[in-house]
Amino acid sequence: MTRYPMQWIEAMTFCKTFDAKLAEVETAPEDTFLRHEANVYKALEKSFWIGGSDLIAEGKWMWMTSHTPVHYTNWNDGEPNNINGGEHCMDMLFYTSRHWNDERCDTVLPFICEKETSSPVIGMLVG
């Protein structure tokens, strides 16, 4: 998890510079892992960006780096709600036990990058 909050597109670009991507949460165990790791970093008591967006087509959430549809979800109650038609980027909300939310992409938040590795490193986060 980075200590340098950014807008969603900036965070996505930052991750790419390290051959990584904003975290794509594809399964319940992965979601649980990210929520647990976020709680370990108690200094970061904020929401944080993950890699989903519906910028291409409203209401059709995609993992933007891998260009795959979001199948597994863990939205907070009432989300995504696209308040005022301007919320197109995905974050995990701190105050809802890290359930997902749609947020304005120009909001400045911390973020988690995900990187594929060939070694079996467990519990390691990039970002």
Side-chain angles (χ1 to χ4, degrees):
M1 186 166 306
T2 182
R3 296 176 190 192
Y4 306 104
M6 298 179 187
Q7 295 179 8
W8 187 86
I9 193 74
E10 294 171 331
M12 196 167 133
T13 302
F14 179 90
C15 291
K16 284 182 182 181
T17 63
F18 294 95
D19 197 28
K21 60 187 175 184
L22 280 177
E24 297 184 357
V25 188
E26 299 164 308
T27 64
E30 187 176 6
D31 190 46
T32 299
F33 172 78
L34 283 178
R35 286 187 289 136
H36 174 267
E37 290 300 311
N39 288 331
V40 168
Y41 293 90
K42 293 272 187 217
L44 188 62
E45 293 185 351
K46 296 184 171 192
S47 300
F48 59 88
W49 291 126
I50 55 178
S53 175
D54 72 344
L55 280 165
I56 294 173
E58 175 58 36
K60 294 185 180 180
W61 289 87
M62 302 277 295
W63 297 116
M64 295 306 286
T65 301
S66 65
H67 303 288
T68 58
V70 173
H71 293 295
Y72 167 81
T73 63
N74 191 12
W75 294 107
N76 191 42
D77 291 340
E79 301 293 345
N81 60 10
N82 195 28
I83 292 178
N84 299 319
E87 296 184 335
H88 301 291
C89 293
M90 189 184 293
D91 66 324
M92 282 188 162
L93 290 170
F94 170 72
Y95 58 86
T96 66
S97 300
R98 306 286 182 200
H99 288 90
W100 304 359
N101 174 57
D102 59 336
E103 183 61 73
R104 293 184 55 87
C105 299
D106 60 357
T107 303
V108 174
L109 293 174
F111 54 95
I112 293 181
C113 297
E114 171 183 0
K115 183 172 176 135
E116 298 296 323
T117 179
S118 57
S119 64
V121 178
I122 297 175
M124 191 75 169
L125 291 178
V126 175

